[in-house]
Coordinates of all heavy atoms in Angstrom, one line a residue:
Chain A
Q135 N 126.5 -74.6 -25.5 CA 126.1 -75.4 -24.4 C 124.6 -75.9 -24.5 O 124.3 -77.0 -24.2 CB 126.2 -74.6 -23.1 CG 127.7 -74.4 -22.7 CD 128.4 -75.6 -22.4 OE1 127.9 -76.7 -22.1 NE2 129.8 -75.6 -22.6
S322 N 108.5 -40.3 -28.1 CA 107.6 -40.6 -27.0 C 107.1 -42.0 -27.2 O 106.9 -42.4 -28.3 CB 106.4 -39.6 -27.0 OG 106.9 -38.3 -26.8
I323 N 106.8 -42.6 -26.1 CA 106.3 -44.0 -26.2 C 104.9 -44.1 -25.5 O 104.8 -43.6 -24.4 CB 107.2 -45.0 -25.5 CG1 108.7 -44.8 -26.0 CG2 106.8 -46.4 -25.6 CD1 109.7 -45.6 -25.2
F325 N 102.3 -46.7 -24.3 CA 102.3 -48.1 -24.0 C 100.8 -48.6 -23.8 O 100.1 -48.1 -23.0 CB 103.1 -48.4 -22.7 CG 103.4 -49.8 -22.5 CD1 104.6 -50.3 -23.1 CD2 102.6 -50.7 -21.8 CE1 104.9 -51.7 -22.9 CE2 103.0 -52.0 -21.7 CZ 104.1 -52.5 -22.2
T327 N 98.7 -51.5 -22.5 CA 98.7 -52.6 -21.6 C 97.4 -53.4 -21.8 O 96.3 -52.9 -21.8 CB 98.8 -52.2 -20.2 OG1 99.8 -51.2 -20.1 CG2 99.2 -53.4 -19.3
L329 N 95.1 -55.7 -20.2 CA 94.8 -56.0 -18.8 C 94.0 -57.4 -18.8 O 93.4 -57.7 -19.8 CB 94.0 -55.0 -18.1 CG 94.7 -53.6 -18.0 CD1 93.8 -52.5 -17.5 CD2 95.9 -53.7 -17.1
I336 N 99.4 -63.6 -27.0 CA 100.7 -64.0 -27.4 C 101.2 -63.3 -28.6 O 102.4 -63.4 -28.9 CB 100.8 -65.5 -27.6 CG1 99.8 -66.0 -28.5 CG2 100.7 -66.2 -26.2 CD1 99.9 -67.5 -28.7
D491 N 113.6 -75.0 -37.0 CA 112.4 -74.2 -37.1 C 112.7 -72.9 -37.7 O 113.7 -72.2 -37.3 CB 111.8 -74.0 -35.8 CG 111.3 -75.2 -35.1 OD1 111.9 -76.2 -35.3 OD2 110.2 -75.2 -34.5
D493 N 111.7 -69.4 -37.3 CA 110.9 -68.8 -36.2 C 110.4 -67.5 -36.6 O 109.4 -67.0 -36.0 CB 111.8 -68.6 -35.0 CG 112.2 -70.0 -34.4 OD1 111.3 -70.6 -33.8 OD2 113.3 -70.4 -34.5
A632 N 111.8 -49.1 -18.5 CA 111.2 -50.3 -17.9 C 109.7 -50.1 -17.8 O 109.2 -49.0 -17.5 CB 111.8 -50.4 -16.5
K634 N 106.1 -51.7 -16.0 CA 105.7 -52.3 -14.7 C 105.3 -53.7 -14.9 O 104.1 -54.0 -15.3 CB 104.6 -51.5 -14.0 CG 104.6 -51.6 -12.5 CD 103.6 -50.6 -12.0 CE 103.6 -50.5 -10.5 NZ 102.6 -49.5 -10.1
Chain B
Y33 N 124.6 -81.7 -17.8 CA 124.1 -82.5 -18.9 C 123.0 -83.4 -18.5 O 122.8 -84.5 -19.0 CB 125.2 -83.2 -19.6 CG 126.2 -82.2 -20.2 CD1 127.5 -82.1 -19.8 CD2 125.7 -81.4 -21.2 CE1 128.3 -81.2 -20.3 CE2 126.6 -80.4 -21.8 CZ 127.9 -80.3 -21.3 OH 128.7 -79.4 -21.8
K79 N 109.9 -74.8 -27.5 CA 109.6 -74.0 -28.7 C 108.2 -73.3 -28.6 O 108.1 -72.1 -28.9 CB 109.7 -74.8 -30.0 CG 111.0 -75.3 -30.3 CD 111.1 -76.1 -31.6 CE 112.5 -76.6 -31.9 NZ 112.5 -77.6 -32.9
H83 N 107.3 -69.3 -28.4 CA 106.5 -68.6 -29.4 C 105.2 -68.1 -28.7 O 104.6 -67.2 -29.3 CB 106.2 -69.5 -30.6 CG 107.3 -69.6 -31.5 ND1 107.6 -68.6 -32.5 CD2 108.3 -70.5 -31.7 CE1 108.6 -69.0 -33.1 NE2 109.1 -70.1 -32.7
K85 N 105.6 -66.4 -26.2 CA 106.2 -65.3 -25.6 C 106.1 -65.4 -24.1 O 105.7 -64.5 -23.4 CB 105.6 -64.0 -26.1 CG 105.7 -63.8 -27.6 CD 105.5 -62.4 -28.1 CE 105.8 -62.3 -29.5 NZ 104.7 -62.7 -30.4
S153 N 91.1 -56.1 -21.7 CA 90.9 -54.8 -22.1 C 92.2 -54.1 -22.3 O 93.3 -54.5 -21.8 CB 90.1 -54.0 -21.1 OG 90.8 -54.0 -19.9
R155 N 94.6 -50.7 -22.1 CA 94.7 -49.4 -21.4 C 96.0 -48.8 -21.9 O 97.0 -49.4 -22.0 CB 94.8 -49.7 -19.9 CG 94.9 -48.5 -19.0 CD 95.3 -48.9 -17.7 NE 95.6 -47.7 -16.9 CZ 94.8 -47.2 -16.0 NH1 93.7 -47.8 -15.7 NH2 95.2 -46.1 -15.3
H157 N 98.9 -45.8 -21.7 CA 99.6 -44.7 -20.8 C 100.9 -44.3 -21.5 O 101.4 -45.0 -22.3 CB 99.7 -45.2 -19.4 CG 100.9 -46.2 -19.2 ND1 100.7 -47.5 -19.4 CD2 102.2 -45.9 -18.9 CE1 101.9 -48.1 -19.2 NE2 102.8 -47.2 -18.9
L159 N 104.6 -44.2 -21.6 CA 105.8 -44.8 -21.0 C 106.9 -43.8 -21.0 O 107.8 -43.8 -20.2 CB 106.2 -46.1 -21.8 CG 107.3 -46.9 -21.2 CD1 106.8 -47.6 -20.0 CD2 107.7 -47.9 -22.2
S160 N 106.9 -42.9 -22.0 CA 107.9 -42.0 -22.2 C 107.4 -40.8 -22.9 O 106.6 -41.0 -23.9 CB 109.1 -42.6 -22.9 OG 109.7 -41.6 -23.7
D162 N 108.9 -37.7 -24.9 CA 110.2 -37.1 -25.4 C 111.4 -37.6 -24.7 O 112.3 -36.9 -24.3 CB 110.2 -35.6 -25.3 CG 109.1 -35.0 -26.3 OD1 108.9 -35.6 -27.3 OD2 108.6 -33.9 -26.0
P169 N 101.6 -43.9 -11.8 CA 101.6 -45.2 -11.2 C 101.7 -46.4 -12.2 O 102.1 -47.5 -11.8 CB 100.2 -45.2 -10.5 CG 99.9 -43.8 -10.3 CD 100.5 -43.0 -11.4

Side-chain angles (χ1 to χ4, degrees):
Chain A
Q135 291 298 334
S322 300
I323 307 173
F325 197 88
T327 313
L329 298 170
I336 54 179
D491 295 39
D493 294 288
K634 203 171 185 180
Chain B
Y33 297 113
K79 288 180 182 171
H83 282 281
K85 302 197 174 82
S153 60
R155 183 196 170 102
H157 76 271
L159 187 71
S160 145
D162 293 331

